[in-house]
Amino acid sequence: MLKVWIAGAEGQIGTAINEILDPLEMETFNTDRAELDITNTDEVLSFGEINRPDVIINCAAITDIALCEQNPELAYRVNALGARNLSLVARKVGAKMVQLSTDDVFDGHAEKPYSEFDDTNPQTVYGASKRAGENYVKEFTHKHFIIRSSWVYGKGNNFVNGVLAAAKRGESMSIPQDQYGSPTSAKDLARLILHLIHTNEYGTYHATCKGVCSRYEFAQEILRQAGLQGQLCPGATNEADHYLARPAYAVLDNFILRIIDLYAMPVWQASLAEYLEEREG
Ligand SMILES: NC(=O)c1ccc[n+]([C@@H]2O[C@H](COP(=O)([O-])OP(=O)(O)OC[C@H]3O[C@@H](n4cnc5c(N)ncnc54)[C@H](OP(=O)(O)O)[C@@H]3O)[C@@H](O)[C@H]2O)c1
């Protein structure tokens, strides 16, 4: 039986992985901040040596963009050094390492989707600390999958739930129409992760659902599929809430997945439909 350690198991992606994995196929060690802080090097090493996982999936991170700007030390401790600690364990016990990363490693100034071979140039503390985490994983492990995604929604605080909640309260929302990305459900990302860990196709991957839209179009589609009337005002990034101040062009090309014909992500509208259906159920 495959032994899998999921760090940050209570976050959106950790939760989605737990919901779809087959317990008959995998023994899972779930930890989050309360059980095991990934910044505690000795405890991380000791947990890894005792449990000797075959795979470590690092879903733990400080994902609050504003908090990262306010507290860069915290961002680097968790997003960079936490990833280093888990990589040290992976190397020590011979485990495969999965590191979640983000489109925020790019500057968002491109006019075509970023491939895995494009140079990174983060503009935020969050993006820079995540890139530092990627670099540690590359430095300390060989058997790694670095998976960059964008606009992820699952169980937790995210754009989809924010739009639905505001619509139900009858609040108007100013949504940027100058930010582009590919909305990606945590569940679809989880499916890809569980596929990848059974392979030896190591390296960096871009993994988002198929298709591109603006934040505004994303919000419109959320309301349309949910059958809600919302008050959406098309805005520009600098007018919007700070948590929406993201790279203008966050579109990732799933180039490697495509050229080796490894896995096809679904179209984003279909993924959203599945999410909303399960949310209601
Ligand atoms: N959400 C997105 O749009 C998106 C897009 C691309 C990539 N990603 C990446 O995907 C990964 C998971 O994202 P997510 O949306 O699932 O994030 P999330 O919902 O914020 O979950 C992160 C989890 O990590 C935990 N955590 C924070 N600090 C920790 C520490 N020191 N030790 C152990 N656990 C700690 C958090 O606990 P607390 O709640 O107590 O802080 C939370 O349960 C991250 O690496 C993120 O950068 C996310």
Side-chain angles (χ1 to χ4, degrees), residues 173-215:
M173 293 166 266
S174 170
I175 311 279
Q177 55 181 353
D178 58 354
Q179 284 178 21
Y180 291 87
S182 306
T184 300
S185 85
K187 190 170 185 179
D188 280 315
L189 204 49
R191 290 181 176 122
L192 165 72
I193 292 167
L194 293 183
H195 180 83
L196 271 182
I197 60 174
H198 288 98
T199 75
N200 296 315
E201 303 281 354
Y202 303 115
T204 300
Y205 289 90
H206 288 180
T208 55
C209 282
K210 267 199 205 98
V212 177
C213 62
S214 68
R215 278 271 179 206

Side-chain angles (χ1 to χ4, degrees), residues 150-173:
S150 77
W151 292 16
V152 175
Y153 56 91
K155 287 195 176 145
N157 285 331
N158 58 56
F159 185 72
V160 178
N161 290 333
V163 167
L164 293 173
K168 281 180 184 157
R169 288 193 300 266
E171 284 171 18
S172 76
M173 293 166 266

